[in-house]
Amino acid sequence: MNISQRPAIRLEGAALRLGRKTLWEDLTLTVGAGEFLAVLGPNGSGKTSLLRVLLGLQPLTAGRVEVLGQPPRRGNPLFGYIPQQRAFDRELAVRGRDLVAFGRDGYRWGWSLPSRAGTQKVNEMLRLVGASGLADAPIGRLSGGEQQRIRIAEALIGEPQILLCDEPLLSLDLHHQQTTVELLAACNCRGTTVIFVTHDINPVLSAAHRVLLLAAGRWAVGDADAVLTSETLSRIYGAPVEVARVGGKVVVLGVDLGSHAPVTELSEAAVS
């Protein structure tokens, strides 16, 4: 574990309410530079909203937040962001390589001709995510999984200090899920702080240093062994929850970590 004492992200007494709903409150959390934090919770618990706060797109209702010692601001080039998947228009003429290059210099004003070094960097990022063959394909004609790999390359090309990932494994098959987690873990080992929102902790269990659980307006944070327990999940969800480890995976009974609905069988999110 190579985590600096210097905080990359700090929240103090943070609260976020949308309308009459409290997503979370009194959230006090320090994420060290070089830490890999997995953010887990059901739909509507405020996971994506937390990323929006860090990106400067959503103000807190109460409390304080700092990123790299400063208030969040839009368009910070020190951030990489993999947004929650949305399909591109099928008629969009932008190629895969164009979208990746946008992650390098999209925040700059005006157009610039691609340099040889820039083209090589784009090609390298496409190779890393297994998308070299998609470089010249229109992005709108790619499958959901292919588009997701392009988005990941786009987020990584700028070598960000902080990488925010909102369900980056959606639409990826098991092979590309594994290679994506390995790629993000390698970036983390080189010092990039990773905030990884997910509905399923198992693919990132070996990479994450800590887990932040958000549910029912409450939260808990700690290493996976401390947070993913029957006692902690029962307290956060306000209902009986049983947690077991089977074959190295976390299995949850009594609630589905990916939705609000209670379940009576093994959580599909936990065993996928």
Side-chain angles (χ1 to χ4, degrees), residues 52-77:
R52 287 177 54 81
V53 167
L54 300 178
L55 289 166
L57 302 176
Q58 175 71 53
L60 289 173
T61 305
R64 297 180 56 226
V65 57
E66 291 183 352
V67 291
L68 300 173
Q70 301 292 328
R73 63 182 178 89
R74 296 179 181 227
N76 190 334

Side-chain angles (χ1 to χ4, degrees), residues 64-257:
R64 297 180 56 226
V65 57
E66 291 183 352
V67 291
L68 300 173
Q70 301 292 328
R73 63 182 178 89
R74 296 179 181 227
N76 190 334
L78 300 179
F79 274 73
Y81 177 46
I82 305 172
Q84 202 166 99
Q85 184 177 357
R86 291 179 178 84
F88 291 99
D89 188 318
R90 280 188 56 81
E91 303 308 316
L92 184 64
V94 173
R95 301 171 300 171
R97 67 168 64 255
D98 300 326
L99 193 66
V100 176
F102 187 76
R104 183 190 64 235
D105 51 20
Y107 60 90
R108 299 172 184 165
W109 287 102
W111 291 89
S112 60
L113 293 174
S115 66
R116 181 176 179 180
T119 299
Q120 290 177 339
K121 185 68 173 178
V122 168
N123 291 339
E124 173 65 10
M125 295 313 305
L126 287 166
R127 184 190 66 79
L128 285 174
V129 299
S132 295
L134 308 176
D136 295 309
I139 193 73
R141 300 300 178 95
L142 300 178
S143 70
E146 290 170 338
Q147 290 179 1
Q148 194 71 342
R149 282 184 274 156
I150 298 293
R151 287 188 179 95
I152 293 167
E154 178 191 9
L156 293 177
I157 194 170
E159 299 180 355
Q161 290 189 31
I162 298 178
L163 181 62
L164 305 180
C165 311
D166 195 355
E167 299 278 10
L169 304 184
L170 288 179
S171 296
L172 298 182
D173 58 30
L174 290 177
H175 169 72
H176 285 109
Q177 285 186 18
Q178 181 179 352
T179 57
T180 295
V181 170
E182 290 172 353
L183 177 59
L184 300 183
C187 293
N188 176 245
C189 287
R190 292 193 293 269
T192 300
T193 304
V194 178
I195 311 296
F196 192 106
V197 166
T198 182
H199 71 279
D200 180 7
I201 190 61
N202 286 305
V204 295
L205 199 55
S206 63
H209 299 130
R210 287 192 297 165
V211 174
L212 171 64
L213 176 63
L214 302 173
R218 295 180 286 271
W219 59 275
V221 66
D223 62 41
D225 289 338
V227 172
L228 301 179
T229 66
S230 300
E231 180 182 2
T232 299
L233 266 69
S234 296
R235 175 176 60 83
I236 294 296
Y237 279 89
V241 178
E242 293 294 330
V243 178
R245 301 238 175 188
V246 179
K249 290 189 174 183
V250 176
V251 179
V252 177
L253 297 89
V255 69
D256 185 345
L257 297 182

